[in-house]
Amino acid sequence: MQAKAAPSADFRRALAQYATGVTIVTTLAPDGTPTGLTVNSFSSVSLDPPLVLWSLSLRADSLAVFRECEKYLIHVLAVDQLEIAKRFATRGADKFGPTAWRPTDDGLPLLEGCTAWFECGNRSQYEEGDHVILVGRVEAFQTIGGAPLIFHNARYVSHLAEEPLPPVLRARWD
Ligand SMILES: Cc1cc2nc3c(=O)[nH]c(=O)nc-3n(C[C@H](O)[C@H](O)[C@H](O)COP(=O)(O)O)c2cc1C
């Protein structure tokens, strides 16, 4: 359907055609409570300086914590972390209780089993519409690798197309 002023459901359906990975962003609340949520709005912004972004709903319970925190950790999820993705997308759930994690030297909650993580300074925020865009300066990161969890058309997807793409589509751009 083509729509100029798309009603919300149609707009969501169109956006959902864009396949993404799945991340979990975590930090510590001022009282030391581990805090986090599932996020697929993650994107790279800049290589030098190293910047990434994600957007957070103004209705999220964790909004105040992420607006105020100094640092957060972004975890790129592996395909076998489906249950963790669901748990961290559930408002009011016991997110950290049943999850394998350990504190970093800074005390941030680092989830085990992800394919990569980025430790970010909370650099800038831009409120737009019903979300706030958070730009993070990457201060540390680790690549672990492995099969990614994918989100497409409002569903978690476990594997990419079997057919390898022609090499030109996989070329580096630098
Ligand atoms: C695959 C997936 C991706 C999501 N991406 C985002 C996102 O980018 N930003 C956001 O604010 N919420 C996103 N959510 C919704 C939050 O994970 C969910 O509302 C969560 O319960 C918010 O936690 P909180 O209210 O405890 O802060 C996503 C949910 C799913 C299932």
Side-chain angles (χ1 to χ4, degrees):
M1 167 194 171
Q2 280 192 329
K4 256 190 181 168
S8 172
D10 288 346
F11 185 45
R12 277 170 180 261
R13 202 172 305 124
L15 291 174
Q17 303 314 305
Y18 184 60
T20 68
V22 182
T23 72
I24 290 176
V25 189
T26 63
T27 193
L28 270 192
D31 67 356
T33 306
T35 302
L37 77 161
T38 300
V39 161
N40 73 338
S41 53
F42 170 74
S43 188
S44 57
V45 173
S46 163
L47 292 176
D48 189 14
L51 304 176
V52 297
L53 69 74
W54 58 291
S55 61
L56 176 62
S57 169
L58 295 177
R59 287 185 301 183
D61 288 347
S62 55
L63 176 69
V65 172
F66 279 109
R67 292 207 89 152
E68 298 302 321
C69 71
E70 263 179 46
K71 288 183 178 186
Y72 46 78
L73 270 176
I74 301 176
H75 308 78
V76 181
L77 297 195
V79 68
D80 59 2
Q81 292 186 298
L82 171 64
E83 291 309 318
I84 302 176
K86 287 190 200 166
R87 188 178 310 140
F88 277 78
T90 306
R91 183 170 241 174
D94 176 12
K95 294 179 176 178
F96 289 87
T99 304
W101 65 279
R102 60 186 167 80
T104 64
D105 290 346
D106 290 335
L108 294 174
L110 179 66
L111 306 185
E112 288 175 15
C114 59
T115 65
W117 56 259
F118 303 89
E119 184 181 310
C120 301
N122 199 346
R123 177 178 167 112
S124 57
Q125 301 175 12
Y126 308 88
E127 199 171 310
E128 284 293 350
D130 54 11
H131 280 63
V132 57
I133 301 161
L134 291 104
V135 175
R137 177 168 178 131
V138 179
E139 294 171 357
F141 64 92
Q142 187 181 9
T143 309
I144 297 115
L149 184 60
I150 300 161
F151 196 67
H152 177 243
N153 209 7
R155 288 200 172 91
Y156 293 99
V157 180
S158 63
H159 60 276
L160 298 165
E162 299 282 323
E163 288 290 309
L165 296 173
V168 67
L169 293 180
R170 290 189 275 132
R172 296 165 62 94
W173 64 72
D174 57 353

